[in-house]
Amino acid sequence: IISKEDFFNADWVNLLKFKVSYGEQGNDNIGSFRYVDTYTLINANGHPAAQPATKGNKDITWEKNGNFNVGVEFELFNTRLNGSIDGFYRTTHDMLMQFPLPASSGFMGYYDNIGNMMNAGIELDLQATPIRTRDFTWTIGLNMTWYKNKIVKLPDERKASHIDRWGELWGYTSGSTAYLEDIPMYTYWMKKNAGVDPVSGKSLYYMDEYEIDPDTKQPILDEEGERIYTGKVITTDDYDKGDNYLCGTALAPVYGGFNTMFEYKGFDLSFAFNYQIGGQVYDSGYQALMTPSISNSAGSNIHADVFKAWTAEKPSNTIPRWQYNDNNVAQTQSRFLTDASYLSLQQINFGYTLPDNVVKKLFLNKLRVYFAAENIWVWSQRQGLDPRQSFTGGNNINYYAPMRTFSGGFTLSF
């Protein structure tokens, strides 16, 4: 506590504290018996049978986390302003993750330790009282976390050579996610939309350009039988020819919340907000509503953005043509990645605390009547999109939004 030292002399500083810590912990929150093959007992035509469930891994071990924190706590101006600033550096070794297996193996997948990860950032927590009089008090609170995440190391057997066009970035891909060294977790790996063809109205996709033999019109192969990449990227309207690219991460670099409270002669009113800035979320709900497939029969929902689709009279460079049963126009691609930033009004609380002279006549120490509302509203990039549904960047149309609740009551103490 620096403010208690003899050499420190600042009347406007009520508290100044320096802190540093380091700790380690283990994580094995992946279920039990992951080191052996497990089976599920089922009824097979009236006979007991063992159905493969999870493939075991005899070499699996703990996921280990190391946490280093350093920061300061402070109270200033007669405690009108107080808070803390903390920096953290967190390492994860032997990360645990499940890998899928082909159906022919009989198992859905298995868990393994895939490598190391790093999180570093700054956490800010502030509480201020701009106005404090005999009858009226106004307080403000803010917390914010900025952080950076990246995969530090992957085992050699998990590194695929087909992504060497990124130079030193090596790793593997799984579905629409890329796990590469020196980039964040939950990085999207999918077809990258290049807009709309102004003539045909078809979606355009980026693809790598390779050297072509002018006579045979076939790709030229190197000594290892691989196509020779020219270093250029071109576009195509053929979805199947489009290449997968890194398309941002689901992790937002900044998130937190803020609140404010007003108190006047026993009345109190407070508001609490949460926010997130940055990151990407895959809006599968919007994707489904923008699919001109055979399922869009009478009574099916479609998004109003179809009226902004490309037409010969009104070309669009963002939304392709709307053509019956054209499924490729809404296949998995970066067009449905949306900014995951949001602001949510999390809580409103209004109350009245009865005066002491009234409360004492009721043989009580305190009596407060209140009304509260929670999960009131969320503002996001697209109406109906709630980026809070999934941390990993999915927006499942089957999710319900957090329940909006209204309540009232009283609290008392004897």
Side-chain angles (χ1 to χ4, degrees), residues 158-173:
R158 295 293 179 194
K159 297 180 183 179
S161 60
H162 67 276
I163 55 174
D164 59 357
R165 57 176 169 267
W166 284 288
E168 299 300 323
L169 297 180
W170 293 87
Y172 68 95
T173 61

Side-chain angles (χ1 to χ4, degrees), residues 125-414:
D125 187 11
L126 295 175
Q127 297 290 330
T129 307
I131 301 176
R132 185 167 58 196
T133 66
R134 178 179 177 181
D135 296 326
F136 180 73
T137 303
W138 175 32
T139 58
I140 302 173
L142 168 70
N143 66 81
M144 180 181 70
T145 298
W146 171 88
Y147 82 110
K148 182 178 181 180
N149 166 279
K150 73 175 181 179
I151 298 174
V152 177
K153 182 180 180 181
L154 292 170
D156 292 336
E157 60 270 21
R158 295 293 179 194
K159 297 180 183 179
S161 60
H162 67 276
I163 55 174
D164 59 357
R165 57 176 169 267
W166 284 288
E168 299 300 323
L169 297 180
W170 293 87
Y172 68 95
T173 61
S174 178
S176 298
T177 306
Y179 300 93
L180 308 175
E181 292 179 343
D182 296 323
I183 70 169
M185 286 278 288
Y186 309 116
T187 295
Y188 291 104
W189 167 256
M190 59 182 60
K191 309 281 187 181
K192 191 171 184 179
N193 186 270
V196 179
D197 188 308
V199 177
S200 66
K202 293 182 178 180
S203 288
L204 296 177
Y205 310 95
Y206 289 107
M207 62 179 291
D208 296 332
E209 183 184 61
Y210 296 91
E211 294 185 9
I212 302 296
D213 188 304
D215 298 325
T216 64
K217 306 300 181 182
Q218 297 297 318
I220 301 175
L221 304 181
D222 59 18
E223 296 179 354
E224 298 179 355
E226 299 290 339
R227 295 179 298 173
I228 301 175
Y229 177 49
T230 65
K232 297 181 180 180
V233 176
I234 57 178
T235 61
T236 177
D237 62 6
D238 188 336
Y239 178 86
D240 293 329
K241 290 183 179 180
D243 286 307
N244 285 9
Y245 295 93
L246 302 178
C247 296
T249 175
L251 301 179
V254 178
Y255 63 89
F258 57 92
N259 60 79
T260 186
M261 175 181 285
F262 304 93
E263 298 175 277
Y264 178 72
K265 291 187 176 180
F267 290 94
D268 61 88
L269 175 64
S270 63
F271 301 87
F273 296 83
N274 290 337
Y275 66 89
Q276 176 175 287
I277 302 174
Q280 298 282 319
V281 58
Y282 193 84
D283 195 349
S284 57
Y286 180 71
Q287 178 186 20
L289 296 173
M290 292 296 290
T291 304
S293 66
I294 194 172
S295 63
N296 294 132
S297 57
S300 297
N301 286 325
I302 57 177
H303 199 279
D305 279 359
V306 301
F307 295 111
K308 303 176 183 178
W310 180 97
T311 63
E313 295 76 18
K314 294 182 179 180
S316 170
N317 59 0
T318 57
I319 301 178
R321 65 183 186 180
W322 182 263
Q323 181 166 316
Y324 175 75
N325 211 26
D326 183 3
N327 291 323
N328 283 339
V329 75
Q331 292 276 39
T332 300
Q333 57 184 282
S334 64
R335 182 162 76 93
F336 301 108
L337 286 175
T338 306
D339 185 357
S341 301
Y342 71 84
L343 172 65
S344 67
L345 177 52
Q346 197 67 22
Q347 187 179 67
I348 297 177
N349 200 304
F350 177 72
Y352 176 66
T353 302
L354 275 67
D356 291 341
N357 58 346
V358 176
V359 173
K360 289 180 180 179
K361 293 180 181 180
L362 301 175
F363 305 101
L364 299 174
N365 290 331
K366 184 177 182 181
L367 176 60
R368 178 177 180 267
V369 183
Y370 69 90
F371 171 79
E374 296 183 357
N375 294 318
I376 301 157
W377 198 258
V378 59
W379 293 267
S380 62
Q381 184 70 20
R382 182 179 290 114
Q383 185 177 4
L385 171 66
D386 190 346
R388 301 173 298 174
Q389 288 182 346
S390 174
F391 175 72
T392 56
N395 180 40
N396 192 317
I397 59 177
N398 298 318
Y399 287 168
Y400 283 103
M403 184 179 297
R404 184 182 293 123
T405 61
F406 301 91
S407 61
F410 59 88
T411 58
L412 55 86
S413 60
F414 295 93

